[in-house]
Amino acid sequence: MFTAPRSADLLVLGGGLGGTAAALTAARLGRTVILVERGDWLGGQLTTQAVPPDEHPWVESELGSESYRELRDRIREHYRRFFPLTEEARTRETLNPGMGNVSRLCHEPRIAALVLHEMLSPHISSGLITLLHGWEASSVTTRGRRIESVIVRRGNDEVELTGAMVIDATEEGEFLELAGLPFVVGAEARAETGELHAPERADPMDQQAVTWCAAVEYRAGENHTIPEPAGYQHWLTTVDPRWPGPQLSWSDVVPHTLEERVRPMFADSPERAIHERADDLWHYRRVVSKAVLRDEFPGGEVTIINWPQVDYWELPFIGVDAETRARAIDGARDLTLSLVHWMQTAAPRHDGGIGYPELRLRGDLTGTSDGLAKEAYIRESRRIRALFTITEGHIGREMRGEDAGSELFDDSVGVGYYRIDLHPSTSGRNYVDIACFPFQIPLGALIPEDCDNLLAAAKNIGTTHITNGAYRLHPVEWSIGEAAGAAAVRALDSGLTPRQVRESSRELRALQRLLSDTLGATLAWPEEIRTGAESFDHVPQPAANPA
């Protein structure tokens, strides 16, 4: 028997960062929400896909989203409350539990999932948010330019849900296809977008590699070797033309120059890695660091495998038949397990030996029994045909000129920053990694051309294949979701469509005041940042962290 509400002000499909932010925003503004998430964790790329957050250098400042800072503060507070931290770490304002190089806040995926549910908890209790775990949209009913209802399914059970406004925050933009709405997938042609780095011809199969992440712990003196995966010999011997060797090696390429580099897992001994920082794979996305924990903590250090070696580029996930997709899923999982087996049995060691059998898969930290993340890390999805599409010409340094800064959008509903970072693709393209300016999020990119009660709230907004590489990261997706939730509420309060809100100067300013004054979102960068920020590959650690 289904006893939950079947109708709400907002129907949000997808509980990733964008969907969670949209639901939280709407509930805090007093609107009812049904949030549908196919898995048992909220958080998407941060949790179910096990990717520590890639963030801009100002993420610790007042620039950005107040609610995203709240999420980060709550994660830190969880560690302070429940972990045996050293006194120095406990009192550090910018505590980084994993001391990973990629972010100022590297942490276990499961903890972010706990915190996200905690943030929604009072609104679930009040009835403003109905959270449906394990359900997924299976069909959509439309009438004219509106979505009338959505059928969601769990096993053999089906339920019809309705919402005055609908938000698509699905990880692959799959709701767009279900609803029969126009969308873009893969790369647009240069003639269509005018982008400097777009290919000459459109290619729907030019999709960024997906990555099936995993968590591994180093357990000195122990042997946790897994059986040889089915495709191990393939990955061990196959050399892709764009790559310096087989993927099962310490070799890859520098993303922005494509020069070969060799980056081992440990630059020195694992014991020294606890207290000394290094540009190696272990420190890259480490999420459990012994340096911040008292000696009584019995566990070892843990890092997340989200490295170029496990970028799966042989088959695309989107726009293919079910058999091809299933092969892609199996291939991505097999590649990651093959790298783990190679590291355990055949990888060159820091001490001149072979193999690290001490590596133990930690599926309990990613919510699985096999050691991998719950889902593959999807870097790009189907994208709406939006009222406004963000192109390289709006944010790219080379196209705009080194001192121009990013385009100023009158309808800005948030800000973000990351390099344009496209991983090797399923069409044979290598990295596209180019500098851009700190940018704004235009409302027009969240509104589809052909539907009056739908907003996009994840990687499915009106970007191109190129600009998706900058807008796909954690804090940007959160801000997109927050903006979508606020825009939906403003549309309901005014009795207008999101398009009409955008077209009305009075309503647009009301929405922007709601975001900035009520919700604490930043809508514009200070001019010196917008025009002069240094490009970066990875966020540097704050000086307060120990060496």
Side-chain angles (χ1 to χ4, degrees), residues 37 44 60 90 93 100 113 181 258 299 301 335 352 383 442 462 466 493 504:
E37 164 52 39
E60 301 287 3
R90 184 178 304 281
E93 183 178 358
L181 294 170
L258 303 185
E301 293 206 326
L335 172 57
R383 305 184 294 278
I466 299 294
D493 288 349
S504 165

Side-chain angles (χ1 to χ4, degrees), residues 320-383:
V320 295
D321 59 67
E323 180 184 354
T324 301
R325 179 179 170 82
R327 287 170 54 208
I329 289 173
D330 289 344
R333 294 175 60 85
D334 186 80
L335 172 57
T336 299
L337 290 171
S338 292
L339 181 71
V340 171
H341 182 75
W342 176 81
M343 290 191 299
Q344 292 171 328
T345 62
R349 288 176 59 98
H350 64 283
D351 56 10
I354 297 295
Y356 291 97
E358 304 97 329
L359 293 176
R360 173 191 174 196
L361 280 165
R362 288 297 305 273
D364 53 329
L365 305 189
T366 58
T368 67
S369 59
D370 61 10
L372 302 186
K374 287 175 175 288
E375 297 181 352
Y377 176 31
I378 304 293
R379 293 184 170 88
E380 64 178 287
S381 74
R382 299 166 182 84
R383 305 184 294 278

Side-chain angles (χ1 to χ4, degrees), residues 62-74:
E62 295 302 306
L63 298 173
S65 164
E66 186 176 300
S67 59
Y68 186 72
R69 291 193 297 274
E70 178 189 350
L71 167 62
R72 301 173 85 258
D73 289 345
R74 284 173 177 260

Side-chain angles (χ1 to χ4, degrees), residues 387-388 408-414 440-447 483 501-503 508-509 511-512 515 523:
L387 295 184
F388 182 84
L408 288 169
F409 298 124
D410 183 63
D411 64 340
S412 175
V413 288
Q440 294 174 309
I441 301 165
L443 176 60
L446 280 58
I447 304 173
V501 169
R502 178 175 181 259
E503 291 173 347
L508 177 59
R509 300 297 171 250
L511 169 60
Q512 290 171 326
L515 282 160
L523 306 188

